[in-house]
Amino acid sequence: MPVPASHGGVSAARPGSAPRTDRDPVRDALSVNLNRRRLARGWSLRDLSAATGVSKGLLSQIERAEANPTLEVLTRIAGVLETDPVELLRRSLPRPEIVRAADVRDSDDETSVHLLFAAYGHGRIEVYRSRLHPHDRSQVSSHGAGSVEYVMVLTGRVTLVVDDDSYELEAGDSARFDGRARHFYTTEDSPATTYSIVGFPGE
C-alpha cells in the first residue's frame, strides 16, 4: 500500500507504526543546520513558517530529524535563509579523517592520481604553507562555523590536536577536520612542513 504524503512536502509514516529508531546522517545534518540558521536570525518556527509558506509542523519535524522534505521545500527554505540546499545538508566532521601515506599506492610505470577528499559548496578558501621547528607548536586556531580544514604533511612528523584529541601524522599523511574545532600542530625532535587549505561556507 502506498504511504500517503503529508504537509505537501514530506513522507509520513503509517498511523500506528513504530517511530524511527535509526539515525540518518543527512536528516541529522539538515536538523542542525536549519536550527542554527533559524536561531541566528532570531526567528521562531512560526516566523520561518510565515516566511517560507512551509507549515510549522513540518519545520518542527525537520529540526527534530524526523522528516524528509522534498527538494522544492528544501529550496524554498534555503532561499528564505539566503543560503543554498547544499549548505543546509552539509555534514559536520565529528572527528578528523586521516589518509595515511602508506594507504596511497603509486604505480611503478604510470602517473598516479589519488582523490584524497571531496567537498561541495565552499565559498572562499585559504591555502597555507607552514614550517614548524623542532619542539614547536603552531598558533591555536578556530575558523568558524561551517569551515573545514585540510592538511598534508610534506616533510617531518607532526601531532595534530583537535579539541584535546591527538593524531600523529607523518610525511605523506593527510587529514580533514571541522575547522571550528580548537586545533593546533606540534613537533618533536625534527622540523616539519605542512600545506593546509581552509574552506569557508559560501555566502
Side-chain angles (χ1 to χ4, degrees), residues 96 98 149 151 158-162 165-169 175-177 183-186:
I98 310 295
E149 181 161 340
V151 62
V158 302
T159 299
L160 165 63
V161 180
V162 180
D165 291 326
S166 298
Y167 304 85
E168 303 294 332
L169 302 177
R176 171 170 67 174
F177 57 93
H183 61 276
F184 58 91
Y185 302 89
T186 65

Side-chain angles (χ1 to χ4, degrees), residues 93-135:
L93 296 169
R95 64 186 61 84
E97 299 176 359
I98 310 295
V99 176
R100 298 294 180 189
D103 296 330
V104 180
R105 302 178 185 229
D106 293 318
S107 172
D108 293 331
D109 56 1
E110 61 183 19
T111 300
S112 297
V113 178
H114 301 278
L115 175 63
L116 301 179
F117 303 107
Y120 305 91
H122 282 311
R124 186 179 90 256
I125 66 168
E126 298 175 352
V127 181
Y128 299 91
R129 178 186 183 276
S130 301
R131 173 73 172 175
L132 286 83
H133 296 284
H135 303 288

Side-chain angles (χ1 to χ4, degrees), residues 143-163:
H143 304 296
S147 63
V148 177
E149 181 161 340
Y150 305 79
V151 62
M152 173 176 279
V153 181
L154 299 184
T155 63
R157 177 183 300 175
V158 302
T159 299
L160 165 63
V161 180
V162 180
D163 284 340

Side-chain angles (χ1 to χ4, degrees), residues 38-53:
R38 176 176 65 79
L39 293 180
R41 288 174 173 262
W43 285 0
S44 66
L45 285 171
R46 188 182 300 276
D47 295 330
L48 184 58
S49 175
T52 61

